Amino acid sequence: MNAPTTRRLTVAQALAEFLAHQYTERDGRRHRLVNACWGIFGHGNVAGLGQALLESGGALPYLQGRNEQAMVHAAVGYARQCDRLSAHAVTTSIGPGATNLVTGAALATVNRLPVLLLPGDTFATRTADPVLQQLEVPQAGDVSVNDALRPVSRYFDRVTRPEALIPAALQAMRVLADPVDTGAVTLALPQDVQAEAYDWPEEFFADRVWRVTRPAPDPDALADAVRAVRGARRPLLVAGGGVHHSEAEDALCAFADATGIPVASTQAGKGSLRHDHPADVGGIGHTGTATADALAREADLVIGVGTRYTDFTTASTTLFAAPGVRFLNLNIASFDAHKLGAASLVADARAGLDALTEELSGHRVAAEYEAAYGVAKADWERRVDAAFGAADDSVRPSQTQVLGALDAVVDDTDIILNAAGSLPGDLHKLWRARSRRQYHLEYGYSCMGYEIPAAIGVRMAAPGRPVWALVGDGTYLMNPTEIVTAVQEGIAFTMVLIQNHGYASIGGLSQATGGERFGTDYRFRAADGTYTGAPLPVDLAANAASLGMHVLRAATVGELRAALAEARGANRPTCVYVETETADTVPGAPEAQAWWDVPVAETATRPAAVAAREAYDRHAAGRRRHL
C-alpha cells in the first residue's frame, strides 16, 4: 500500500496554503472564505507568516495596514458587505500589536461578523524567556497577552506544536462559516512554531467547502407562530441585521406585501425594506422614528426577525408597553430567539419568512391599521424633509442638513458608513435607505474609529459602488491612519468629515444626565477648568490632505452640495470637510422618541443633576420584564 503523500512546509507556510483552499457555499454559490490577510509585521510574525505570505505568490493576498485595530475594522467591513460568506485574516506581532486587536475583536464578535486573527506569540519552547514585549505572569507560565483575546473571541487556540495546527485550523474555519457561532476567531501562533517545518498530509491542502445552510422552522413551532400572527390585531415586525446576513430582504418584502404588517428596523436591520415601501416605518427604539415607536408602544405582537434586542431597540425595556404584549422571534440563533419570553422560531431568516408567508396566505391586518400607520409614516417624512432642508444655501449647515445634501446626491448604489457619535441617531431616524446594503452602521459596539478602515473593507467587497464614510471630529482624531492605506492601495472612498468641535453625542447625554457637558468640548480651558468658548486651532482638513487625501472644503450649504457631487465622481480617496452649526443653535433632527437607561447620580449638589435624577426616576418606572 502506498504511503500517504505529504508536503514539507513550515507552520506559517502550511497555514497560508490551507487558507487559500477554504470556501463557503450558500444557495449554490461558492465564495472564497478567507480572501486576504492584513498585516503589520514585527518580531512575532515577520519571519513566520510574513515569509509565508511572500512565498505564497499571492495565493493569499497581503494587505498592509497602519494600525492593528483598524485592520480588524477593515476586515469586519469587508465581511459584512459580503453577507458573512467571505472574510479577511489579520496578523500582528506579539506584544502591543496583539493587544491592539482586542477592540476590533470585540466589535466583530458583538456584531456576529467573521474575522480570523493570527497574532504572533512568545516562544512555545521558552528557550528565550522572557522575550521582548513578553508579559510575565509568575503564577501561570503559559499565559501571554494573547489571552486577552479569549473573552472577545468565538474560538481561541494557541498552536504550540506543528501538528496541532490541523484541528485548530479546521475548528477556526467551522466557526468563521457558522452563522450562529461566527465572530472573531483567534489562532495564537508562537513565533518559533511558525518557523518550524512539518510533513503535512496533502489532504490538508485540498479544496474544502463549508456549506452555509438555511435551516427551516420546526413545523410545530411554525404552526404556533402562525396562530400568534393570525390572532394579533396590532402586530409589528422588527427587522434586525439577520435579515441582511441571510439575504432575506425580498422574503421580508413579500411578507409585508402579503400581510400589511408594518416593519420597523434596528440599526443593523435598516434597509431591510426600502424607505418608500408602504410598510416601512423606519428605525425603532431610542433613535427610532415617532411612527415606529408609537406602533411599538401599542403592539400586541412583536415579531423580531434576526434581532438580538439591544437596549437601544427596546428603549431599555420601556418601549413595548401594551398590556399582554407577546413576542415571536425568528432567529437562526436559539440564544436570541428565546429573548423577551418569546415564542421562538429557530430558523434561517429567509426560510422562516418564506414559510410564514405561505402559511399566512389570505391573512392581512385590518385596513384601518394600515391606513393609520400610513398617515403616521407620511407625517414623519414631512419632518425628515424639514430637517434635511435649508432655506438659504449661503448659511453654514447643520448636521441634519449635511445628511440632506448627501441624500440628494446618492442613488441605490451608494453605501453610507458610520459607527459612533451623534450621527447614528440622526441616520437611524432620518436616512432614506434605498437598497439592501446601502446603510452600514456599526452600532453593536459603537466603536469610534471604525468608519475609515471599514470603508476600505467595504469598497474592496463592492468595488463598483460609491462608499461614504461619515466621520465626526472626535472619531477622526482617534483613528485616521488608514487613510494612508487607502492612498497606497488606490482604494477610492469619500470621507465626509464633520467638524463640530467636540463629542456632540456624549455632550448631549452629559447635559441630559446632569453632567453639564463636562469634558466633551474641544475648546480652550480657563484656569478654573471652564471652557472659554474659543475652538482649538486644529485644521483636520489639512491633516487629511497631509495623509494623501484630496480635500474639498465646504463652508455653506451650497458649497457642500457642490463638493459632495464632485466627490461622488472622484476616483481617489477624497475628503469633504464641513464645519456645522451645533444642535444648540440650529433646529436639527427630531429629539429621541424613546428613553435610554443611563443611570444618574442618586445624590448630588448641582441643580442640573438633581433635576436629571428626578426625570430618570420617572422614566425608569416604565421598565418591565417580558416573561
Side-chain angles (χ1 to χ4, degrees), residues 87 117 150 174 343 377 401 533 554 576:
L117 306 180
R150 288 182 184 270
R174 175 191 65 79
K377 173 181 170 66
Q401 289 165 348
V576 175

Side-chain angles (χ1 to χ4, degrees), residues 48-142:
L49 272 171
Q51 186 275 338
L53 291 170
L54 174 63
E55 195 164 283
S56 74
L60 183 61
Y62 167 68
L63 301 167
Q64 184 180 16
R66 268 73 194 175
N67 174 279
E68 292 86 359
Q69 180 187 135
M71 292 193 297
V72 184
H73 294 336
V76 167
Y78 177 87
R80 180 175 177 181
Q81 193 65 31
C82 292
D83 299 320
R84 308 193 298 187
L85 297 170
S86 290
H88 282 166
V90 177
T91 180
T92 71
S93 65
I94 65 174
T99 51
N100 280 351
L101 295 173
V102 173
T103 296
L107 181 148
T109 297
V110 164
N111 287 282
R112 321 282 174 82
L113 293 167
V115 59
L116 177 61
L117 306 180
L118 304 172
D121 212 328
T122 54
F123 283 68
T125 56
R126 305 187 193 176
T127 54
D129 191 40
V131 299
L132 178 66
Q133 299 177 324
Q134 178 177 340
L135 171 71
E136 293 184 273
V137 181
Q139 71 276 17
D142 62 342

Side-chain angles (χ1 to χ4, degrees), residues 35-416:
N35 245 329
C37 183
W38 292 87
I40 296 176
F41 295 118
H43 76 98
N45 64 344
V46 65
L49 272 171
Q51 186 275 338
L53 291 170
L54 174 63
E55 195 164 283
S56 74
L60 183 61
Y62 167 68
L63 301 167
Q64 184 180 16
R66 268 73 194 175
N67 174 279
E68 292 86 359
Q69 180 187 135
M71 292 193 297
V72 184
H73 294 336
V76 167
Y78 177 87
R80 180 175 177 181
Q81 193 65 31
C82 292
D83 299 320
R84 308 193 298 187
L85 297 170
S86 290
H88 282 166
V90 177
T91 180
T92 71
S93 65
I94 65 174
T99 51
N100 280 351
L101 295 173
V102 173
T103 296
L107 181 148
T109 297
V110 164
N111 287 282
R112 321 282 174 82
L113 293 167
V115 59
L116 177 61
L117 306 180
L118 304 172
D121 212 328
T122 54
F123 283 68
T125 56
R126 305 187 193 176
T127 54
D129 191 40
V131 299
L132 178 66
Q133 299 177 324
Q134 178 177 340
L135 171 71
E136 293 184 273
V137 181
Q139 71 276 17
D142 62 342
V143 170
S144 79
V145 295
N146 284 332
D147 288 278
L149 288 161
R150 288 182 184 270
V152 293
S153 297
R154 293 295 285 176
Y155 178 79
F156 179 99
D157 203 350
R158 179 176 283 111
V159 181
T160 57
R161 290 182 58 84
E163 58 268 36
L165 177 66
I166 294 175
L170 292 170
Q171 287 294 330
M173 298 304 103
R174 175 191 65 79
V175 175
L176 288 175
D178 190 321
V180 176
D181 284 343
T182 197
V185 170
T186 299
L187 295 181
L189 302 171
Q191 59 178 311
D192 52 343
V193 177
Q194 286 183 50
E196 190 173 345
Y198 184 74
D199 293 323
W200 306 90
E202 279 289 349
E203 292 86 351
F204 186 53
F205 306 119
D207 286 356
R208 190 179 299 269
V209 178
W210 301 86
R211 188 162 285 107
V212 182
T213 60
R214 294 190 180 278
D218 172 78
D220 291 338
L222 178 61
D224 289 344
V226 169
R227 281 192 293 271
V229 176
R230 289 187 180 275
R233 293 186 305 105
R234 301 183 64 82
L236 173 68
L237 189 146
V238 177
V243 176
H244 291 309
H245 298 328
S246 178
E247 298 176 278
E249 295 88 356
D250 289 345
L252 177 60
C253 183
F255 177 88
D257 287 342
T259 65
I261 294 174
V263 176
S265 56
T266 68
Q267 285 280 17
K270 191 173 173 73
S272 295
L273 287 184
R274 276 185 59 100
H275 73 95
D276 52 3
H277 189 286
D280 180 72
V281 294
I284 191 169
H286 178 63
T287 54
T289 68
T291 307
D293 285 352
L295 289 169
R297 291 185 181 97
E298 298 181 3
D300 57 357
L301 178 68
V302 179
I303 308 167
V305 181
T307 178
R308 59 193 187 92
Y309 288 112
T310 69
D311 62 342
F312 259 59
T313 299
T314 68
S316 302
T317 70
T318 64
L319 185 58
F320 305 111
V325 62
R326 303 307 298 169
F327 294 83
L328 167 63
N329 291 339
L330 166 57
N331 205 297
I332 198 169
S334 174
F335 177 78
D336 293 311
H338 286 85
K339 288 179 177 176
L340 301 179
S344 62
L345 203 58
V346 180
D348 169 76
R350 183 197 287 184
L353 285 167
D354 284 344
L356 280 170
T357 303
E358 181 177 352
E359 292 297 320
L360 287 166
S361 177
H363 174 76
R364 193 171 186 88
V365 298
E368 295 82 4
Y369 185 42
E370 282 191 80
Y373 75 68
V375 170
K377 173 181 170 66
D379 179 66
W380 184 261
E381 287 302 316
R382 287 189 287 272
R383 296 173 72 176
V384 175
D385 289 338
F388 278 180
D392 185 352
D393 279 4
S394 66
V395 301
R396 177 185 291 178
S398 67
Q399 181 165 281
T400 57
Q401 289 165 348
V402 172
L403 299 183
L406 184 58
D407 175 78
V409 168
V410 304
D411 63 23
D412 292 17
T413 63
D414 294 70
I415 301 170
I416 312 299

Side-chain angles (χ1 to χ4, degrees), residues 547-602:
L547 297 177
M549 284 197 120
H550 174 55
V551 175
L552 303 169
R553 295 176 182 259
T556 66
V557 172
E559 290 176 6
L560 175 63
R561 291 187 179 128
L564 292 173
E566 180 181 342
R568 189 173 185 272
N571 59 2
R572 55 176 168 165
T574 300
C575 169
V576 175
Y577 175 84
V578 57
E579 186 169 355
T580 60
E581 294 288 1
T582 67
D584 292 335
T585 57
V586 175
E591 294 182 356
Q593 305 298 307
W595 187 55
W596 182 39
D597 190 347
V598 178
V600 177
E602 196 166 0

